[in-house]
């Protein structure tokens, strides 16, 4: 499948997108950006590591799916495991279940070390209940695993297609979407104080679909980043 996609043949359009050489190169850069952000968070945990990328979490080992070509999470975390023997947690708040990690566990056994079972988090409910899922997982599952040394780095994937006005999503109003962002970045700061060190955290875009208003998607992602800047490096930006 990898060679098919790079060469534009066979199931190269199984992601549902028209193939071109330029697109194939963009996909490689997208995956490289995601990996580099995660690796930078591990090597330089005092820095904010951000990758403006998406198109990963529905891809499978032998084909693409739903706008996703290669699983950037799987590729990146396997490379981090091979180099540093560090395990990661994905907080995938995209509006759709990120199946790529689970669909690849039997194909790549080392994935269970790179991303331990149970640490590919995807909330399912709506508004306050959605926020409660995020709060519960972070407080009762992720925090103990971080303190115990089971999880070494975190990837925050706050997909904008979980927003109620997205064309493909319907879970959160702007208020609850931003509450998730504020809660997470505040928690990162509190955990760093508790641990006495910086936590490797990187963030990425993931989904967001509004062909009638691209800026509405970008404004959500920007709001998330501004919450990060405010809570993690204490620069208060009025956005």
């Amino acid at each position: 499948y990898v060679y098919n996609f790079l060469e534009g043949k066979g199931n190269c359009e199984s992601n549902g997108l028209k193939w071109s050489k330029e697109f194939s190169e963009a996909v490689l850069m997208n995956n490289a950006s995601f990996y580099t952000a995660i690796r930078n968070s591990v090597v330089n945990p005092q820095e904010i590591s951000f990758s403006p990328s998406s198109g990963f979490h529905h891809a499978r080992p032998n084909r693409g799916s739903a706008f996703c070509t290669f699983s950037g999470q799987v590729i990146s975390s396997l490379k981090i495991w091979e180099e540093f023997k560090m395990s990661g947690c994905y907080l995938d708040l995209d509006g759709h279940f990120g199946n790529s990690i689970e669909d690849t566990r039997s194909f790549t056994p080392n994935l269970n070390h790179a991303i331990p079972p149970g640490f590919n988090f995807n909330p399912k409910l709506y508004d306050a209940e959605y926020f409660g899922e995020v709060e519960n997982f972070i407080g009762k599952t992720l925090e103990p695993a971080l303190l115990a040394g089971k999880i070494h780095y975190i990837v925050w994937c706050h997909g904008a297609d979980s927003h109620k006005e997205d064309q493909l999503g319907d879970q959160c109003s702007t208020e609850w979407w931003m509450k998730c962002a504020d809660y997470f970045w505040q928690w990162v700061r509190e955990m760093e104080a508790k641990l006495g060190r910086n936590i490797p955290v990187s963030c990425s875009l993931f989904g967001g679909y509004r062909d009638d208003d691209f800026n509405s998607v970008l404004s959500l992602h920007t709001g998330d980043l501004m919450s990060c800047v405010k809570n993690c490096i204490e620069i208060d930006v009025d956005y």
Side-chain angles (χ1 to χ4, degrees):
Y1 166 58
V2 172
Y3 287 116
N4 279 351
F5 179 76
L6 296 179
E7 296 170 9
K9 62 184 184 182
N11 59 350
C12 68
E13 295 184 349
S14 55
N15 54 18
L17 299 168
K18 183 175 177 58
W19 187 90
S20 70
K21 182 64 176 173
E22 292 80 8
F23 177 54
S24 71
E25 291 171 354
V27 165
L28 296 183
M29 288 189 284
N30 224 29
N31 281 266
S33 170
F34 192 59
Y35 160 67
T36 304
I38 297 172
R39 189 184 188 282
N40 188 70
S41 77
V42 168
V43 175
N44 300 296
Q46 76 281 4
E47 297 182 2
I48 294 171
S49 297
F50 167 64
S51 172
S53 55
S54 59
F56 304 130
H57 78 162
H58 296 307
R60 298 166 185 168
N62 61 349
R63 56 165 311 195
S65 179
F67 310 147
C68 300
T69 307
F70 301 140
S71 177
Q73 307 105 298
V74 170
I75 294 167
S76 300
S77 287
L78 285 173
K79 288 173 71 65
I80 296 295
W81 175 256
E82 289 165 3
E83 186 173 357
F84 300 102
K85 293 297 182 284
M86 295 173 73
S87 302
C89 173
Y90 284 83
L91 296 172
D92 186 349
L93 273 65
D94 184 283
H96 310 91
F97 176 67
N99 58 280
S100 66
I101 292 171
E102 307 312 318
D103 287 351
T104 313
R105 291 196 185 279
S106 60
F107 179 79
T108 311
N110 265 350
L111 190 55
N112 288 332
H113 298 297
I115 310 169
F119 289 92
N120 171 31
F121 171 70
N122 296 256
K124 302 177 179 64
L125 301 177
Y126 298 85
D127 282 337
E129 290 80 10
Y130 179 100
F131 175 78
E133 285 183 278
V134 174
E135 189 178 32
N136 186 65
F137 178 82
I138 289 175
K140 295 184 178 179
T141 301
L142 177 55
E143 184 168 327
L146 195 62
L147 291 170
K150 181 178 180 180
I151 293 297
H152 306 101
Y153 65 91
I154 301 163
V155 188
W156 175 247
C157 313
H158 201 177
D161 56 357
S162 55
H163 193 275
K164 283 186 173 180
E165 294 180 18
D166 191 89
Q167 287 170 225
L168 299 180
D170 64 347
Q171 288 175 282
C172 296
S173 65
T174 302
E175 177 188 2
W176 289 106
W177 198 91
M178 282 304 303
K179 276 183 182 291
C180 289
D182 291 337
Y183 174 78
F184 173 71
W185 293 116
Q186 288 165 12
W187 172 82
V188 168
R189 186 177 175 187
E190 291 166 5
M191 278 302 298
E192 291 185 333
K194 187 179 292 188
L195 289 166
R197 60 176 174 83
N198 293 114
I199 303 169
V201 180
S202 54
C203 51
S204 185
L205 300 179
F206 279 44
Y209 306 93
R210 282 290 300 275
D211 61 15
D212 62 328
D213 187 1
F214 297 132
N215 283 332
S216 70
V217 176
L218 297 174
S219 69
L220 284 172
H221 289 308
T222 304
D224 183 87
L225 281 173
M226 292 305 97
S227 178
C228 171
V229 168
K230 178 180 178 179
N231 288 290
C232 294
I233 58 177
E234 300 182 300
I235 297 176
D236 194 2
V237 180
D238 184 17
Y239 180 73

